[in-house]
Amino acid sequence: MKTKFFISGLMLSAAMTLSAQQQAIVTIHADQGEQIIPKEIYGQFAEHLGTCIYGGLWVGEDSPIPNTNGYRNDVLEALKKLKVPVLRWPGGCFADEYHWMDGIGPKENRPRMVNNNWGGTVEDNSFGTHEFLNLCEMLGCEPYISGNVGSGSVEEMAKWVEYMTSEQGSPMAKLRKENGREKPWKVKYFGVGNESWGCGGSMRPEYYADLYRRYSTYCRNYNGNVLFKIASGASDYDYNWTEVLMQNIGHRMDGVSLHYYTVPGWTGSKGSATKFSTDDYYWTMGKCREIEDVMKRHIAIMDKYDPKKQIALIVDEWGTWWDEEPGTVPGHLYQQNTMRDAFVASLSLDIFHKYTDRVKMTNIAQIANVLQSMILTKEDKMVLTPTYHVFEMYNVHQDATFLPADLQCAYKNVRDARNVPMISSTASRDKEGRIHVSLSNISLTESADVTINLEGINGKQVSGRILTADKIDDYNTFENPEVIAPKAFKDAKIQKGALLVKIPAKSIVVLEIK
Ligand code: AHR
């Protein structure tokens, strides 16, 4: 079947049908760069869910799997390369059933619990506050703690903050010292509940807003540690939740969250991660891109109450959600990760970069073995997913200056009346003055000749890397871990102040211009 593509945009205004090749024009406005892309846009999320923590990050000191103080060496090394800026923990839904005191002290004395949200697995609490915060120190990332509002008390939350961050002298600092840690940790990000409209307590927004005010009052700043308090925000299209929180909490919060999953629906089958049609694929691209409209509407509400943009929108759960892999434990949300997932990552990051005046952090779900993960593990084996490779290739944009750009390219009408551009791009300038341009060609059949106008950029050299696959449903396995991996990209040249790029179908390219 021949696909019809339509060109939209100012310069390429006439609708036309393309055959084997498309054309696109990107104009980068290097002189208009104002916003820094906070590194926290590349945040991660680790929940006590399935094998994310146990088996994924943590195997314990006595494991035959090579580890450093219980953390898997292979995973640690991979995460260091990723430059993880911030890690959210312990949930998710798990957070609102988690009682932090069960996860401190000698491991043999820690009580067990049933993980009611996720498959009824028995949780032995061997990975707790110390294990998490020490991991963050090893990775050099900020911790983002999700506090328990749903089933926890104000006192419990207040004492957790005191335990983690207060200096000697306080009762909780004394307990921390008895458990082997004298100095407080630095904890910046603190979530006051998670999905309080659902697994976090089935609350109405008015009720949650009052609870937020109460709980957050007792989350103190100890000894120079200043908390950035994040309210449990809306799901997807629930604009009323954001409105009520902005009205009733306002500047008592530093951030409000938003959860948006690229999922075909919350009831019934979500579809296989690896077996999907062309139609499903393009639908996924459209659904993923819809996060932009959703964010814009939440931001418009926030702008009404906070025109100076002092309250951040924190997209602390996003990514694909498919059916669990056949044969895996129900409730553990273990899914494979194809080139389709890689595009959900690149397209989403391209969108987040545009809104960093309001969006200050995002956390893809999740870091290992759960949903759209970076890493899959099986006993002593580890595989990096296509999504990992996108995050690794894109980490050049962390803390760089976002450079606005115009894009003209072909569009395709997809299911549910969405109109999807075939090319996505983003650009930034890093502290050393290097320009990085990321380009995704989501077309399954057509390569693209992309002309990148480098207004105000005196580029002399270009180099790049490409992530692509023979088939869109290709993925990395424990037996064949390098089916999809970045390779050097040579099809870019600078000519008369423009960068000419030939990007193959279903490819993601990151270019560096010096
Ligand atoms: O990421 C999996 C789950 O999705 C989280 O626990 C919850 O917050 C969301 O519904």
Side-chain angles (χ1 to χ4, degrees):
M1 195 185 74
K2 194 159 180 274
T3 316
K4 284 200 168 184
F5 291 100
F6 297 98
I7 302 287
S8 92
L10 290 173
M11 293 172 73
L12 303 175
S13 58
M16 58 185 277
T17 305
L18 294 174
S19 53
Q21 196 163 309
Q22 4 154 16
Q23 291 183 352
I25 300 175
V26 178
T27 303
I28 298 174
H29 303 291
D31 53 335
Q32 290 173 25
E34 283 174 8
Q35 292 296 327
I36 300 293
I37 300 167
K39 61 182 186 310
E40 287 82 0
I41 292 292
Y42 288 79
Q44 299 285 339
F45 171 31
E47 179 165 11
H48 288 241
L49 196 181
T51 52
C52 181
I53 304 283
Y54 300 108
L57 300 174
W58 172 261
V59 286
E61 294 92 332
D62 301 331
S63 171
I65 297 171
N67 68 82
T68 304
N69 304 330
Y71 309 97
R72 292 181 71 118
N73 288 346
D74 51 359
V75 172
L76 275 180
E77 199 190 317
L79 293 179
K80 281 181 189 160
K81 281 195 193 128
L82 210 53
K83 301 201 173 121
V84 176
V86 56
L87 183 57
R88 180 173 183 245
W89 174 85
C93 294
F94 180 81
D96 280 292
E97 288 203 51
Y98 183 61
H99 300 287
W100 69 272
M101 283 208 176
D102 293 348
I104 56 170
K107 291 213 163 63
E108 60 278 12
N109 297 341
R110 297 187 190 177
R112 290 169 174 245
M113 68 177 282
V114 174
N115 192 334
N116 293 308
N117 284 289
W118 307 118
T121 306
V122 174
E123 159 72 52
D124 69 4
N125 277 307
S126 56
F127 189 95
T129 302
H130 289 246
E131 290 74 21
F132 172 67
L133 292 175
N134 291 345
L135 171 65
C136 291
E137 285 187 342
M138 287 165 92
L139 293 177
C141 73
E142 296 278 356
Y144 171 9
I145 299 276
S146 258
N148 180 349
V149 172
S151 70
S153 67
V154 176
E155 182 186 5
E156 183 183 14
M157 186 179 284
K159 283 184 168 167
W160 200 7
V161 174
E162 184 186 322
Y163 186 88
M164 294 184 288
T165 60
S166 76
E167 297 271 2
Q168 285 91 334
S170 81
M172 288 300 108
K174 192 166 164 283
L175 181 60
R176 185 185 67 229
K177 192 175 168 189
E178 281 163 20
N179 288 329
R181 171 83 186 200
E182 173 134 18
K183 280 188 154 214
W185 292 277
K186 185 176 162 282
V187 176
K188 181 173 177 187
Y189 299 107
F190 195 87
V192 183
N194 167 73
E195 295 196 350
S196 301
W197 39 265
C199 63
S202 308
M203 301 176 204
R204 292 173 299 109
E206 293 79 6
Y207 180 68
Y208 170 73
D210 281 347
L211 279 192
Y212 173 92
R213 293 166 68 121
R214 181 164 168 239
Y215 276 71
S216 63
T217 300
Y218 302 97
C219 296
R220 310 278 190 199
N221 291 331
Y222 290 100
N223 311 105
N225 184 78
V226 180
L227 292 176
F228 185 100
K229 296 177 198 166
I230 300 165
S232 165
S235 164
D236 310 82
Y237 311 89
D238 186 356
Y239 304 109
N240 181 53
W241 186 276
T242 302
E243 180 97 42
V244 173
L245 265 49
M246 290 301 294
Q247 223 166 39
N248 294 294
I249 301 178
H251 289 85
R252 285 183 167 86
M253 59 189 174
D254 299 299
V256 58
S257 72
L258 169 67
H259 290 181
Y260 182 94
Y261 282 98
T262 298
V263 55
W266 291 109
T267 50
S269 167
K270 296 176 171 59
S272 161
T274 53
K275 296 182 183 70
F276 50 88
S277 66
T278 299
D279 190 43
D280 292 337
Y281 163 72
Y282 283 117
W283 178 88
T284 304
M285 297 299 104
K287 172 74 180 175
C288 143
R289 284 189 44 84
E290 196 165 279
I291 197 173
E292 180 162 14
D293 291 337
V294 171
M295 276 174 18
K296 274 176 160 170
R297 285 193 63 180
H298 287 286
I299 289 171
I301 294 163
M302 294 177 76
D303 285 348
K304 263 196 310 181
Y305 297 93
D306 174 36
K308 291 191 181 148
K309 296 187 186 290
Q310 289 163 329
I311 303 170
L313 183 64
I314 306 287
V315 188
D316 59 17
E317 287 186 32
W318 66 274
T320 57
W321 193 322
W322 310 119
D323 288 344
E324 293 168 327
E325 280 299 298
T328 59
V329 180
H332 281 193
L333 310 188
Y334 180 92
Q335 68 187 41
Q336 250 299 352
N337 199 295
T338 67
M339 194 65 203
R340 174 175 66 165
D341 296 85
F343 280 120
V344 171
S346 67
L347 268 50
S348 301
L349 292 168
D350 293 350
I351 291 168
F352 297 148
H353 286 183
K354 288 163 67 181
Y355 297 93
T356 54
D357 57 341
R358 180 67 83 179
V359 179
K360 300 295 182 188
M361 187 202 303
T362 86
N363 308 77
I364 188 170
Q366 298 193 4
I367 196 164
N369 295 331
V370 170
L371 299 177
Q372 190 179 351
S373 55
M374 305 294 121
I375 286 171
L376 298 174
T377 63
K378 186 174 151 198
E379 292 145 10
D380 62 342
K381 296 197 182 68
M382 179 194 78
V383 74
L384 304 177
T385 66
T387 299
Y388 173 97
H389 292 307
V390 172
F391 269 71
E392 188 276 321
M393 287 165 71
Y394 264 61
N395 69 25
V396 290
H397 296 297
Q398 289 188 16
D399 281 340
T401 303
F402 172 70
L403 301 179
D406 297 323
L407 166 69
Q408 290 122 36
C409 69
Y411 278 65
K412 180 177 167 58
N413 283 314
V414 305
R415 202 167 81 217
D416 291 344
R418 294 188 176 102
N419 200 21
V420 180
M422 291 296 102
I423 302 289
S424 177
S425 78
T426 193
S428 69
R429 182 194 283 115
D430 71 12
K431 289 184 188 115
E432 283 75 41
R434 294 171 297 209
I435 308 288
H436 292 102
V437 183
S438 298
L439 283 173
S440 298
N441 177 8
I442 70 166
S443 169
L444 292 180
T445 50
E446 327 230 337
S447 64
D449 280 333
V450 185
T451 303
I452 304 178
N453 294 317
L454 302 171
E455 276 180 12
I457 301 171
N458 187 17
K460 295 196 169 53
Q461 274 177 36
V462 59
S463 58
R465 289 200 294 160
I466 182 168
L467 192 73
T468 190
D470 289 344
K471 297 193 273 47
I472 190 67
D473 52 3
D474 277 347
Y475 54 93
N476 294 336
T477 64
F478 297 107
E479 294 71 36
N480 288 307
E482 302 267 316
V483 176
I484 301 178
K487 297 195 174 56
F489 179 72
K490 302 277 182 214
D491 264 340
K493 59 179 180 205
I494 296 175
Q495 202 173 291
K496 292 186 192 154
L499 181 58
L500 308 179
V501 187
K502 193 175 194 64
I503 174 167
K506 49 180 163 35
S507 301
I508 299 166
V509 163
V510 178
L511 301 166
E512 178 171 294
I513 304 153
K514 298 198 275 203

